[in-house]
Amino acid sequence: MRVRDDELMRVRDDELMRVRDDELMRVRDDELSRPLIAVTFAAACAIPGITLLTVAVNPLTGALGAFNIFLYTCCYTPLKRLSIANTWVGSVVGAIPPIMGWTAATSSLDAGALLMGAILYSWQFPHFNALSWNLREDYSRGGYRMMSVTHPDMCRRVALRHCLGLIGLSTAAPVLDVTTWNFPIISLPINCISLTWATSFTGTPIATVPESFFFCSLWHLPTLLLLMLTCKKSVVGKKEKSEVVQDPS
């Protein structure tokens, strides 16, 4: 009877081992197939997208799109585990799409395009630094090199500097002939609200300060761009005037 019980236990153990081995093989196959699926999906989206931008819009916009894909996949993503420089590179990635919108509409990379990119670039530091502050432990456990984890004082100072920078960029808009002088005036209150939260964040932030600062950034950017839109100068009008000057007949 004992021999039979031992045989039954061995059969059961062998069966459990086979089941476990089958599960490990399935997991291994899944792990091996995921990168291939991801690369295939990315290529299926990127190649037609870049082609469409190049052919249907203009080559400049297509080139910017291709460069941004390269910057995100080959620079920003690997840097997340290597250096806090990932935040600066990621901000460039976030700044390129509005530049692409400008080049799509005007076929030129002029001061207005660079100003739009600069606004998005600066906005991302208060936005992300505030978001990452309360997630420091999660980033640390995941092995991500974020300012909030490795350089907390710098994280707060950088957010403050870029809030000040947004005020300067708003003032630069009429200087660059992108908006009227109404824009820096009417945008000053919302920029000052963001700056106030940044100042509180730079102090000794309790948990609610970075959270409120983050939510402030969510409405700050669309409001700023909406005000910029209402105060914009017509690019079409400027082109027509330049054509009249060049061809007085």
Side-chain angles (χ1 to χ4, degrees):
M1 193 72 172
R2 182 178 297 176
V3 173
R4 186 178 179 184
D5 289 342
D6 291 342
E7 289 177 354
L8 289 173
M9 289 181 67
R10 280 199 297 271
V11 170
R12 187 184 65 180
D13 290 343
D14 290 343
E15 184 66 27
L16 289 173
M17 288 291 290
R18 280 195 295 271
V19 171
R20 189 183 69 174
D21 289 342
D22 290 342
E23 289 177 351
L24 288 174
M25 289 295 291
R26 282 197 298 272
V27 170
R28 188 194 69 174
D29 292 340
D30 288 344
E31 292 294 333
L32 290 173
S33 65
R34 283 173 188 170
L36 179 61
I37 293 171
V39 171
T40 303
F41 178 76
C45 294
I47 294 172
I50 294 169
T51 303
L52 185 63
L53 285 173
T54 303
V55 175
V57 183
N58 56 59
L60 176 58
T61 306
L64 286 170
F67 174 69
N68 214 27
I69 291 173
F70 166 78
L71 198 62
Y72 188 92
T73 56
C74 299
C75 300
Y76 170 61
T77 301
L79 274 174
K80 287 181 179 180
R81 293 182 180 271
L82 299 176
S83 169
I84 61 170
N86 74 80
T87 306
W88 280 266
V89 177
S91 294
V92 174
V93 171
I96 289 177
I99 297 177
M100 292 172 63
W102 189 283
T103 60
T106 66
S107 299
S108 63
L109 192 62
D110 54 21
L114 298 178
L115 176 67
M116 290 292 294
I119 288 174
L120 265 291
Y121 176 83
S122 281
W123 170 81
Q124 286 174 91
F125 287 94
H127 171 72
F128 179 72
N129 288 10
L131 171 66
S132 66
W133 187 263
N134 288 339
L135 301 174
R136 297 190 305 279
E137 293 183 2
D138 294 331
Y139 281 122
S140 181
R141 283 196 299 266
Y144 290 99
R145 304 282 294 178
M146 300 299 172
M147 271 189 286
S148 59
V149 176
T150 61
H151 298 75
D153 291 338
M154 179 189 291
C155 175
R156 293 177 289 184
R157 289 197 306 269
V158 168
L160 178 64
R161 283 201 296 266
H162 281 277
C163 283
L164 288 168
L166 285 170
I167 296 176
L169 290 170
S170 298
T171 306
V175 176
L176 296 173
D177 207 28
V178 176
T179 69
T180 65
W181 279 99
N182 290 332
F183 175 63
I185 297 172
I186 64 175
S187 65
L188 186 60
I190 64 168
N191 284 333
C192 285
I193 292 173
S194 179
L195 181 61
T196 301
W197 280 114
T199 304
S200 299
F201 182 58
T202 306
T204 306
I206 57 175
T208 56
V209 171
E211 184 178 343
S212 299
F213 188 22
F214 167 72
F215 281 111
C216 172
S217 71
L218 294 181
W219 62 258
H220 178 228
L221 180 65
T223 306
L224 186 67
L225 294 179
L226 181 61
L227 293 176
M228 193 176 187
L229 178 65
T230 60
C231 299
K232 74 180 181 70
K233 289 188 176 180
S234 174
V235 176
V236 176
K238 284 190 283 187
K239 284 186 175 181
E240 289 176 350
K241 287 179 182 178
S242 64
E243 289 172 1
V244 170
V245 172
Q246 293 173 2
D247 186 13
S249 62

